[in-house]
Amino acid sequence: MIEAMNDPKTWLFALFVALGSVPNSFANQQTLIIASFGFTTVQTTLLSCIPGVIGIFTISTGAQLAARLPNSRAYVGAAYFVPVWVGILLVYLLPWSDQVGLLAGIYLSTINSISMVLALSWVTSVTAGHTKRVVTNAVILSGYCIGNAAGPFMWKAQYKPRYHVPWAVIGGCCVICPILLLAIRAVLVKENRIREAEPIDDNKEYLIERITEDGKRVKVKVDKEFLDMTDRQNRDFRYVL
């Protein structure tokens, strides 16, 4: 537990998840914002379905890219924030009468869903040890809850109809998040290089204590793979990128 709390990547992932969850509050305001553009109830309902289709498309394409391009999780996750920046600028700057442009901005701002998916799968791959993994997941879940709880407080009536303040906050989160992904990658690359430079000790034995059928305590040699070692304890562990 102490190792998980002292590991910088735990807090980098937690901060990413917290900031990445703040824009989730837009999903609750999406229908109201689209309706405020002057669309009917039926039109608003149909137009509100498109972000779901975009989410399916971006997650599938992003996962394929991350799988085919080696060591590219951070790069793929960061790249999907670029259209989000464009979308936020469109919503923030276009005149209220430009329905098509505002809709395009809203749709572009929902493209980064793959980044959260990649981050959550990534943290599992770079964390070893049962207890450490449980603690790390608890910290990240706390960050997710904090981000989702804080997000709705941005959407106040005083910011209607353009909601410039909420969009500015979302924009700030979407600038910091890709930086965090790249920072996590840099930390892991540095740690992998340190481990590659360390001498290999093939003669080291790993012993565990077992109790025989007659109640005696004996030490038995086991392979390292059967030990519940954390990623810091196991120097043969290499962080996936």
Side-chain angles (χ1 to χ4, degrees):
M1 183 179 74
I2 295 176
E3 182 179 318
M5 302 301 287
N6 290 332
D7 196 332
K9 73 175 184 294
T10 299
W11 299 105
L12 288 172
F13 274 114
L15 182 58
F16 171 84
V17 171
L19 294 178
S21 299
V22 171
N24 290 346
S25 60
F26 170 69
N28 299 326
Q29 305 293 327
Q30 174 182 278
T31 302
L32 296 176
I33 293 176
I34 293 177
S36 67
F37 294 161
F39 294 105
T40 65
T41 302
V42 175
Q43 290 173 332
T44 299
T45 302
L46 293 175
L47 292 172
S48 298
C49 296
I50 296 179
V53 177
I54 293 175
I56 295 173
F57 176 77
T58 55
I59 290 175
S60 60
T61 56
Q64 287 291 328
L65 284 173
R68 294 185 179 185
L69 300 176
N71 302 324
S72 63
R73 299 189 187 196
Y75 295 144
V76 172
Y80 272 77
F81 277 98
V82 175
V84 176
W85 300 338
V86 176
I88 292 173
L89 288 175
L90 290 176
V91 176
Y92 199 89
L93 300 175
L94 286 179
W96 195 245
S97 58
D98 190 350
Q99 292 182 338
V100 175
L102 292 172
L103 276 176
I106 286 178
Y107 295 151
L108 286 173
S109 67
T110 63
I111 286 180
N112 65 318
S113 54
I114 180 59
S115 302
M116 184 68 70
V117 175
L118 289 176
L120 294 177
S121 64
W122 193 13
V123 69
T124 303
S125 302
V126 297
T127 306
H130 176 72
T131 303
K132 182 176 182 179
R133 188 171 291 169
V134 170
V135 174
T136 301
N137 288 338
V139 172
I140 291 175
L141 178 60
S142 299
Y144 179 81
C145 295
I146 291 172
N148 280 283
F153 289 100
M154 303 185 301
W155 305 93
K156 296 182 179 180
Q158 66 197 67
Y159 301 138
K160 289 182 178 181
R162 296 306 303 261
Y163 290 110
H164 279 139
V165 172
W167 281 110
V169 173
I170 291 175
C173 291
C174 291
V175 169
I176 297 174
C177 281
I179 295 175
L180 289 172
L181 286 177
L182 297 177
I184 293 169
R185 190 182 192 280
V187 170
L188 299 182
V189 167
K190 180 180 179 181
E191 182 61 28
N192 280 345
R193 287 176 179 171
I194 293 174
R195 298 187 181 200
E196 290 292 344
E198 293 176 352
I200 300 175
D201 187 4
D202 293 331
N203 297 322
K204 187 174 182 179
E205 294 185 348
Y206 296 91
L207 303 175
I208 62 172
E209 190 176 79
R210 288 182 177 174
I211 301 177
T212 61
E213 294 182 356
D214 55 358
K216 293 181 179 179
R217 294 179 180 271
V218 296
K219 290 186 177 181
V220 181
K221 181 180 178 181
V222 296
D223 293 332
K224 184 188 294 186
E225 291 75 14
F226 295 99
L227 298 175
D228 187 26
M229 302 176 70
T230 68
D231 51 275
R232 280 192 173 180
Q233 293 171 335
N234 184 3
R235 304 306 294 177
D236 292 331
F237 187 94
R238 296 296 182 268
Y239 296 103
V240 296
L241 305 173

